[in-house]
Amino acid sequence: MPLSARELHQRGVDAANSRRFGRARRALVTASARVGDDADLRARIDGTMAYVLAQTGAPGEAERLSREALARPGLRTDTVAVLDGQLGTLLMHGGRLDEADQALTRAIDALDEDSIERANLLMSRSIVGMQRHRLDDCTADLRSAIAVYETLGEEEPLAEARHNLGYAALLGGDLVTALKLMTASRPTLAATSDLAAAISDLDRAEVLRDAGLTTEAEALLDEVATRFGTQRMRQARGEAEFHLARSLLRHDAAAAERTAARAARRFAALGSDGWSARAEAVRLEASLRAHPERAVDAAAFARTERALTAGGFRSEATALSLTSRLVGEGRMPRLADDTPTPLRLRAHEVRAVRAAKAGKDAAALRAAAAGLDLLTAWQQSFGALDLQASVAMHGTELMFTGLRAAARTRDPGVLFEWSERARHLSQRVAPVRPPHDADLAADLAELRMLRADLAGSDWTADARVRALRDRVRDRQWSSTGAGAHRGRLDLATTRARLDDETAVLAYVYTGTDLLCTVVTAAGASIVELPWPRIRAALDGLRADLDVAALTHGGPMAATVGRSLDDRLRALDESLFAPARAAAPQASRLALTIPGILGGIPWAMLPGLSGIPFTIATSVSRLLEDRAPRRRARAGFAAGPRVARAGEEVRTAASAWGTAEVFAGEEARVDAITELAGRTDVLHIAAHGRHAVDNPLFSGFELVDGTLFGYDVDLIPRPPDTVVLSACELGRSSVHWGEEALGMTRVWLHAGTRCVIAAPVVVADDVACELLAALHLRLAGGDAPAVALAAASESTGLRAPFHCHGDGF
């Protein structure tokens, strides 16, 4: 027996809810042909067809059909309510938020409180609340819908509602909760349909973007846009392009301008005026960033701002108004109390930039400092290192505006304060160690196996690796809590805490200039450095270092050696010697450096020969109240395929007498993490690899795979001192201009006091001899920086091993 019109309609509804729009359309066409004279059923069929048309790129026809259905006489109250709700949903997708809210509210008020139809419309109205940034109303609607879905046992809409609750958390700045809810909901949504998974991924990409993980977010947005395009979902494809353009704004304004223009054209063709205005706003900002020399089209800004306001996108209208004030003279717009944190940060940024352009550096510094204090308050909700560092994206312009204004004051106290702000941005929140997570450990073990299986290829491109990577990060973000708020020292307090033997060299890069604030107990001064000459010496430095480490003997070694010596001498003369001249009496040095100087082999500079020094994450961290160093127990591990690793660790361990040594089959990840938890000094000799895109997947190779940065979070009591005799593990990736993140930072964030590592390849024989001498001094009671300098002097070896953190 053929299906009835009512059964076919329900089949169409189910297919539409699962985003199977071709199947839905076929069922609804057949239902319409069989409906007979049931006016209410015909109206409902047309309403559902209108939804399908809107989703597949015909919003104008969808609205026409929906309004025609509503205009039919004699419809039941519940039918009118459902049609009103469907019209409201269409208007919402078209960016006509005020009209959408009115239609949806009429429908919701007319339906039974426990009906699934009302719950579905609450979901739609919650999206209107999101887009208008009325998050309390949005959350209330979602929780009401969730209660109905739970009562009725409707798993798929329940997963969607919880996902949307995560999106509301994103808009409120709670990235951890957002990712947690979206991750938990995704399996159910993915099982519904590929398009449901794509919509989930679109929102997830927004979380990653706001968390500063733009490379990953943009790859996901590209993929999602393609999937929507394949399904001819032009509105959804345009939304993916819009969010991609917003992400590109921070680092590729020209690409953002092209992408936003394409999205705006797509929305305009669909009649989605509100979305077209949103995309045009991004295009205007991108154009301003990409072409600062062009005259600003004030009329286009005003026109787009009016269109955003008319569509109900008031927060985005305010954001565009702020952007226009960067070059205009108008008054700053007033922000509501519930304005999103990124928009409030943008307001501080605009004030700082305008003040700086007007020559009012004091006002610029106040505005930039207020913005960074707001960012710090937001960061206090995050304990995970990569999230803290990546969220610093939102403070990049504030930071550089403040650094440039501070440099112009030529006041050592002001410049030192801003140097500490730059160094301290992702370190002010101490992490709370998570409890042992067996699932996280299992995921990391599987990743180790996959990395071994995929050796020689781009292992991160594998779908299984990506899924595990996401799970690992999500768990770490959720489980690492935020602890105490660390203070930041001013210049007077720093000088009072320094002894007569120590000087601080606080290097500051403003984006155009390089300076150094030299601080001693006796005073402070600013040294201006020749940045063009330093930059020229840095070009090709890493290649020279790598070749020199791998070249043994012959004319090639002599040629490379001369080139490297010339570069190091130039850096010493331009970068170090002028700063050193301002503190000639100091016998030990603490350096704080911006990310742009992170690859310099400081220990190989001639002027630093024999001088104990440490590269501090910040002076404030270095001079915190310090307990006595722990050095009673030492542990050593040798990874595979390093020619002299076994010899290195055995020789170094002999300085300690009772040290534990793991080599060969014993050097397994679980054994070494347990060793790290019970030792005070840990030395690992292994092949290392720095992961540029995600430094927490940096690690070193043990017999059963890679010990990742994430594994360090599973160590309940990290060692006081860690020696990483592994090429590249002293390297860092620079995040958003100032934030440098790598394995050294992972250990320091976990609680290790000092990490000794090299930013480049070190020859095995050099590492073996130098680090054996280092341990003789460590075991004898020397501080790490003193021991390292003495080891270099006694062996005559020049190698790029540095102390990071507190080497004193």
Side-chain angles (χ1 to χ4, degrees), residues 722-747:
V722 172
V723 181
L724 299 177
S725 179
C727 56
E728 293 199 349
L729 289 190
R731 287 185 63 199
S732 296
S733 290
V734 178
H735 283 221
W736 305 109
E738 287 294 295
E739 289 296 324
L741 185 61
M743 266 302 258
T744 55
R745 278 288 306 280
V746 171
W747 284 98

Side-chain angles (χ1 to χ4, degrees), residues 512-721:
T512 55
D513 300 307
L514 187 67
L515 306 95
C516 184
T517 305
V518 181
V519 185
T520 66
S525 60
I526 295 175
V527 179
E528 298 181 39
L529 302 169
W531 173 238
R533 278 193 294 177
I534 293 167
R535 183 174 54 200
L538 290 174
D539 290 341
L541 174 63
R542 177 174 169 78
D544 277 0
L545 285 163
D546 288 347
V547 174
L550 300 173
T551 304
H552 305 282
M556 181 64 177
T559 301
V560 172
R562 283 193 298 272
S563 174
L564 179 57
D565 286 343
D566 289 344
R567 288 187 189 279
L568 294 174
R569 188 163 45 252
L571 284 171
D572 189 69
E573 292 171 355
S574 301
L575 179 65
F576 176 67
R580 172 63 167 164
Q585 304 304 318
S587 59
R588 62 182 193 174
L589 303 172
L591 282 60
T592 59
I593 60 175
I596 201 164
L597 301 181
I600 292 175
W602 295 89
M604 299 178 73
L605 300 185
L608 271 164
S609 177
I611 299 178
F613 74 95
T614 193
I615 299 176
T617 51
S618 74
V619 178
S620 302
R621 286 289 306 273
L622 178 69
L623 297 180
E624 284 176 334
D625 292 335
R626 290 182 266 170
R629 300 202 84 96
R630 294 188 280 114
R631 60 177 79 239
R633 293 164 295 183
F636 295 81
R641 300 186 304 103
V642 179
R644 298 184 65 182
E647 178 188 353
E648 178 183 318
V649 298
R650 286 191 296 272
T651 304
S654 66
W656 294 89
T658 59
E660 295 183 77
V661 179
F662 288 77
E665 290 298 317
E666 294 180 330
R668 307 180 69 82
V669 170
D670 56 354
I672 304 312
T673 53
E674 290 174 10
L675 175 67
R678 62 176 180 267
T679 56
D680 303 316
V681 177
L682 175 68
H683 178 130
I684 299 174
H687 281 297
R689 185 61 61 191
H690 175 72
V692 175
D693 288 340
N694 190 341
L696 285 169
F697 282 116
S698 299
F700 38 83
E701 184 181 338
L702 298 174
V703 70
D704 59 337
T706 302
L707 192 155
F708 296 113
Y710 282 114
D711 286 298
V712 176
D713 267 339
L714 302 180
I715 300 171
R717 176 186 173 274
D720 184 273
T721 302

Side-chain angles (χ1 to χ4, degrees), residues 25 50 53-54 58-66 90:
R25 183 192 292 267
L53 289 169
E61 185 180 351
E63 184 177 349
R64 178 193 59 76
L65 185 59
S66 185
L90 297 179

Side-chain angles (χ1 to χ4, degrees), residues 64-143:
R64 178 193 59 76
L65 185 59
S66 185
R67 291 191 183 279
E68 283 181 358
L70 264 172
R72 291 173 192 153
L75 297 179
R76 296 197 310 267
T77 300
D78 60 327
T79 300
V80 172
V82 169
L83 292 172
D84 253 335
Q86 289 169 330
L87 176 60
T89 301
L90 297 179
L91 295 169
M92 173 196 72
H93 287 301
R96 292 151 67 183
L97 300 186
D98 290 339
E99 294 176 73
D101 186 69
Q102 293 168 8
L104 288 166
T105 299
R106 285 197 306 270
I108 289 166
D109 290 346
L111 291 169
D112 183 77
E113 284 193 2
D114 298 325
S115 69
I116 193 167
E117 290 88 355
R118 185 174 185 273
N120 291 342
L121 296 181
L122 285 167
M123 288 274 285
S124 292
R125 192 171 69 177
S126 76
I127 297 173
V128 174
M130 289 178 197
Q131 295 182 351
R132 299 168 91 181
H133 207 78
R134 296 180 178 175
L135 298 185
D136 288 343
D137 293 343
C138 162
T139 301
D141 280 349
L142 285 170
R143 294 196 184 283

